[in-house]
Amino acid sequence: MELKNIPRVKTLTKKEFIDSFFKPQRPVIIEECTLHWPAYSKWNLEYMREVAGDKIVPLYDDRPVHHEDGFNEPHAQMKMSDYIDLLRTAPTRYRIFLWNILKEVPELQKDFDYPDLGLRFMKGLPMLFFGGRNSHTFMHYDIDLANIFHFHFEGQKECILFSRKETKYLYKIPHSLITHESIDFSNPDFEKWPALKHAKGYRTHLNHGEVLYMPEGYWHYMKYLTPGFSMSLRAMAHNPRNVTRAIYNILIMRHYDGLMRRLKGQKWIDWKNEEAIQETNKRVEV
């Protein structure tokens, strides 16, 4: 894979962001966007224990998708305080995924604001994500193809991004939002996944208080290098093609996939995984 460093800036004006990154749909890291937020100095794992320790949180790991799994259905649950203890004491693959601040801990919204960068944020959907050392997400894109601003707190995480143009090289699973789950994007096996050699993307390490802008529909893989957590704010897709794709994903694709899982069971999952390999290799003639 050819992975470039994501551009970094200290700050950005609205015009600079729109002209240099939003319009051309290029990712960027803004290093000092959160310095004025209370969250910059307050948000760490111990603070989350203080404000949300008694909350029962949904946990996800990197087990392969099974036909009985529901859409975004958690694999386990535990109290936030117990989960933070787990993060502190031992490596774990359990992650918290799409945890809604407004619903679960409304007081956290006092600790941040929405950047004035010329986009209209979906203010009902600030989401938190937690992970332990070396836990990771599958390479995926978001169902609504939104513009995502990903703010990281405590520790460091690795982020690998690809634009939609690179999909043909990524072993995308049909009728899904993910690539083949067996691929380790932080250390790919090119003999097993030869098409990846043609993929061109971006890589960075995200540090406390920094925000990563991910353009509409970008593929992203996240690996926690240390225990930590992030918050995503999102703005709707503007490209008409992406808006159409988002509507299709939400209203048709996920329901069709759910129906086929019920009708065909694990055979449907196995067929999709094999189809991803065959079709990707065929397209790049490897």
Side-chain angles (χ1 to χ4, degrees):
M1 299 186 297
E2 181 183 329
L3 299 178
K4 298 190 296 186
N5 291 328
I6 296 175
R8 287 177 166 269
V9 298
K10 295 295 184 184
T11 60
L12 274 179
T13 66
K14 181 190 304 185
K15 186 178 188 309
E16 288 170 338
F17 170 73
I18 294 296
D19 291 345
S20 298
F21 299 102
F22 175 69
K23 286 182 178 179
Q25 289 288 278
R26 297 173 56 224
V28 64
I29 294 169
I30 309 173
E31 296 178 337
E32 298 181 357
C33 183
T34 68
L35 289 183
H36 67 288
W37 288 6
Y40 183 81
S41 57
K42 293 168 61 177
W43 282 20
N44 55 39
L45 290 173
E46 292 309 310
Y47 181 67
M48 290 298 158
R49 184 204 303 274
E50 178 183 329
V51 299
D54 290 334
K55 296 288 184 180
I56 302 297
V57 294
L59 302 176
Y60 302 79
D61 58 26
D62 56 1
R63 71 186 67 180
V65 171
H66 190 272
H67 74 278
E68 294 180 349
D69 294 339
F71 185 78
N72 284 344
E73 183 177 326
H75 300 132
Q77 297 183 28
M78 67 173 62
K79 288 176 62 175
M80 175 67 89
S81 58
D82 294 333
Y83 176 64
I84 290 174
D85 287 340
L86 179 62
L87 293 182
R88 292 293 199 195
T89 57
T92 177
R93 297 189 181 279
Y94 278 133
R95 296 175 290 105
I96 298 177
F97 175 72
L98 289 175
W99 201 59
N100 191 309
I101 292 175
L102 297 183
K103 177 182 176 183
E104 301 294 344
V105 192
E107 66 188 89
L108 289 176
Q109 66 185 307
K110 300 175 183 177
D111 292 340
F112 68 92
D113 56 34
Y114 293 83
D116 183 16
L117 292 172
L119 300 185
R120 181 176 297 178
F121 287 93
M122 293 183 269
K123 295 189 175 180
L125 295 174
M127 298 291 184
L128 286 182
F129 305 79
F130 291 70
R133 184 186 302 275
N134 291 329
S135 64
H136 68 273
T137 66
F138 297 126
M139 180 68 74
H140 67 285
Y141 69 94
D142 285 20
I143 193 169
D144 59 355
L145 285 82
N147 294 277
I148 302 171
F149 294 79
H150 195 68
F151 302 81
H152 188 62
F153 297 94
E154 185 151 332
Q156 191 177 69
K157 73 193 301 185
E158 178 184 43
C159 309
I160 297 176
L161 310 182
F162 294 98
S163 74
R164 302 285 298 163
K165 295 186 296 183
E166 303 301 309
T167 299
K168 59 183 177 291
Y169 304 126
L170 301 181
Y171 296 92
K172 179 188 181 299
I173 301 295
H175 313 292
S176 179
L177 307 173
I178 64 174
T179 64
H180 201 289
E181 299 155 307
S182 298
I183 301 173
D184 178 1
F185 276 90
S186 64
N187 185 29
D189 181 345
F190 294 119
E191 290 189 6
K192 188 173 182 179
W193 311 106
L196 290 180
K197 291 184 291 187
H198 303 279
K200 298 179 180 180
Y202 299 88
R203 186 200 300 265
T204 196
H205 287 173
L206 203 58
N207 304 300
H208 177 85
E210 296 177 344
V211 55
L212 166 63
Y213 167 62
M214 293 185 283
E216 299 177 12
Y218 258 52
W219 291 95
H220 47 284
Y221 164 94
M222 305 287 187
K223 182 176 181 179
Y224 291 85
L225 303 180
T226 65
F229 62 100
S230 305
M231 177 180 70
S232 281
L233 304 179
R234 57 205 308 114
M236 289 182 61
H238 283 229
N239 184 310
R241 182 178 297 178
N242 291 337
V243 173
T244 300
R245 173 58 63 176
I247 293 171
Y248 168 81
N249 288 343
I250 295 168
L251 298 182
I252 299 176
M253 184 273 290
R254 69 171 175 171
H255 296 293
Y256 175 73
D257 185 58
L259 173 63
M260 295 303 289
R261 291 187 192 200
R262 291 192 295 273
L263 292 177
K264 294 193 172 184
Q266 193 60 29
K267 290 182 179 180
W268 172 246
I269 302 297
D270 295 341
W271 173 83
K272 291 200 302 175
N273 286 333
E274 184 60 31
E275 188 74 0
I277 296 172
Q278 292 185 4
E279 289 302 309
T280 301
N281 288 343
K282 185 188 304 180
R283 280 196 297 269
V284 297
E285 298 179 349
V286 294

